[in-house]
Amino acid sequence: MKGKILVTGGAGYIGSHTTVELQNAGYEVVIVDNLSNSNADVIDGIQKITGIRPAFEKVDCIDFAALKGVFDKYPGIKGIIHFAASKAVNESVHKPLLYYRNNIVSLLNLLELMPEYKVEGIVFSSSCTVYGQPSSEYLPVTETAPIQPALSPYGNTKQIDEEIIRDTIHSGAPFKSIVLRYFNPIGAHKTAEIGELPNGVPQNLVPFLTQAAIGIRKELSVFGDDYNTPDGSCIRDYINVVDLAKAHVISIDRILENKTDAKLEYFNLGTGNGVSVLGLIHAFEKTTGVKVPHKIVGRREGDIEQIWANPRYANEVLGWKAVESIEDTVQSAWNWQLKLRERGVM
Ligand code: UD1
């Protein structure tokens, strides 16, 4: 065993895939999750893949006493990967206080508890949203591209959290941090035992797309085809969730095995390829042979026209690279949707 890692939001989409990779790498995982956008069945899915049941506590990270109780119950937690957060951009516009409380208080609680329990590092789940719409000279985006004013309360919480981590590390806190800025994670584990399963109507592209393809939703709305891109739809860097999960294991190794002297580092996690919404629909249809009913509608407020990563820094410094093809990735998303149907979930 390599050590105990606390994964907040570990029953969620990226958290569950990361738990699998941590266990495969020999870490012992303790999950805390309030199940606000996930389901405890995910723990079974993780166990089916790895043969190991992670410890699970239904705890909300904004509850300081309950979170402290987790550190007492599982002594010797060496590192934290902090996923637990609310992430629906539109909802954040209507419920800003919910977002500020959830996404900021949970981080404050963790950072305050870390020294007392001698936790050596925290990997933080951030987003390319901190770059806003980069001007063309900054595309593809490196880690040194300017941070721009957030377009939503959700985006602002990620920026504020990054600043809180920066200030805490600069104050001489006795731990290290790695901030991972994700581009657009999609797909599911190749076993189809875990995947993305948002509660309610999906806000993100791929879960909506697969639900439309299987007939749960009438049709996918493509938000705008009049952008200044080759086919008029928005461009994103869609990264396979398992590739993304592996970057977390490398980051936690990097901290715990003292592979760097840096107390704080930032990495962009993307493939380096920009794909349009229509391009993704096309890749899905071509790979799976399944049609996606869709129609073009107006732009979604707050959407960025185009952004994709320059992943070179992560490739070189972390020795990590996204390796899964877009075809295998969309196929994995479809296999997961079929599995949900088989299980009668949706
Ligand atoms: C957004 C956030 C990102 C956050 C992520 C988490 C911004 C600018 N981006 O990513 O920071 O981490 O959510 O949820 O704040 N689309 C459709 N139809 C749909 C759904 C989406 O056409 O039904 C399009 C969108 O217009 C966009 C692309 O698909 O061009 C991807 O959308 P989505 O999956 O929601 O992710 P982002 O908006 O890129």
Side-chain angles (χ1 to χ4, degrees):
M1 269 296 162
K2 275 174 113 172
K4 217 175 277 173
I5 307 297
L6 180 71
V7 178
T8 75
Y13 174 45
I14 309 173
S16 57
H17 289 81
T18 299
T19 296
V20 165
E21 298 307 319
L22 285 166
Q23 290 182 328
N24 285 342
Y27 285 105
E28 184 183 342
V29 177
V30 178
I31 290 175
V32 294
D33 200 304
N34 66 1
L35 303 181
S36 61
N37 194 28
S38 58
N39 188 305
D41 294 347
V42 172
I43 310 299
D44 298 334
I46 294 169
Q47 185 178 8
K48 276 193 188 135
I49 298 171
T50 64
I52 304 164
R53 193 166 185 83
F56 168 67
E57 299 293 333
K58 185 172 182 295
V59 160
D60 194 321
C61 294
I62 67 173
D63 181 341
F64 185 85
L67 197 55
K68 187 167 169 26
V70 173
F71 284 94
D72 287 329
K73 185 168 173 186
Y74 301 93
I77 288 170
K78 290 258 169 284
I80 298 172
I81 306 185
H82 182 38
F83 295 105
S86 303
K87 64 154 197 145
V89 175
N90 185 43
E91 184 187 44
S92 79
V93 175
H94 298 104
K95 299 179 184 168
L97 298 181
L98 175 82
Y99 275 68
Y100 286 112
R101 182 179 291 278
N102 279 352
N103 295 4
I104 293 173
V105 175
S106 55
L107 177 68
L108 294 178
N109 286 344
L110 290 166
L111 295 176
E112 282 179 358
L113 286 163
M114 285 176 73
E116 185 181 341
Y117 290 89
K118 301 200 167 29
V119 183
E120 294 169 31
I122 182 165
V123 174
F124 179 67
S125 169
S126 190
S127 164
C128 68
T129 194
V130 301
Y131 300 117
Q133 173 60 67
S135 55
S136 54
E137 64 192 291
Y138 290 111
L139 278 174
V141 184
T142 66
E143 291 76 359
T144 53
I147 303 297
Q148 302 209 56
L151 294 172
S152 69
Y154 158 77
N156 207 20
T157 65
K158 291 293 171 189
Q159 293 198 4
I160 294 169
D161 280 351
E162 285 201 4
E163 289 168 359
I164 290 170
I165 291 172
R166 181 200 62 202
D167 293 347
T168 308
I169 296 288
H170 285 179
S171 76
F175 51 80
K176 289 180 177 173
S177 182
I178 292 181
V179 171
L180 300 177
R181 293 175 178 153
Y182 314 148
F183 283 67
N184 287 58
I186 63 164
H189 196 268
K190 63 178 185 315
T191 60
E193 293 293 353
I194 55 172
E196 186 169 14
L197 183 55
N199 291 339
V201 180
Q203 303 296 311
N204 295 113
L205 178 60
V206 169
F208 202 108
L209 183 158
T210 57
Q211 289 189 13
I214 208 164
I216 296 168
R217 311 281 161 202
K218 186 164 159 272
E219 59 195 350
L220 169 70
S221 295
V222 174
F223 297 137
D225 69 346
D226 56 352
Y227 285 100
N228 185 24
T229 60
D231 67 18
S233 64
C234 291
I235 291 177
R236 297 286 184 275
D237 186 334
Y238 294 98
I239 173 171
N240 183 289
V241 67
V242 176
D243 276 337
L244 187 77
K246 288 177 176 163
H248 294 76
V249 180
I250 293 172
S251 299
I252 211 82
D253 282 348
R254 187 171 170 82
I255 291 175
L256 299 184
E257 295 169 11
N258 279 314
K259 290 182 178 162
T260 174
D261 290 333
K263 295 207 76 184
L264 175 59
E265 294 177 292
Y266 301 85
F267 296 99
N268 285 349
L269 299 182
T271 66
N273 300 316
V275 174
S276 71
V277 176
L278 292 170
L280 193 80
I281 294 171
H282 183 67
F284 179 90
E285 291 184 334
K286 201 164 162 228
T287 308
T288 62
V290 177
K291 284 278 165 223
V292 180
H294 64 277
K295 65 168 182 210
I296 310 290
V297 301
R299 294 179 176 196
R300 181 171 71 176
E301 204 188 321
D303 261 340
I304 282 165
E305 179 176 274
Q306 45 187 318
I307 186 163
W308 68 99
N310 179 339
R312 201 163 77 204
Y313 189 62
N315 297 164
E316 288 173 0
V317 177
L318 290 181
W320 164 90
K321 197 172 186 325
V323 294
E324 298 293 340
S325 67
I326 192 86
E327 289 79 14
D328 286 349
T329 301
V330 293
Q331 184 67 53
S332 71
W334 182 235
N335 293 348
W336 165 243
Q337 186 68 62
L338 292 173
K339 184 58 130 338
L340 290 172
R341 166 68 40 100
E342 192 185 303
R343 284 200 214 146
V345 177
M346 12 195 7

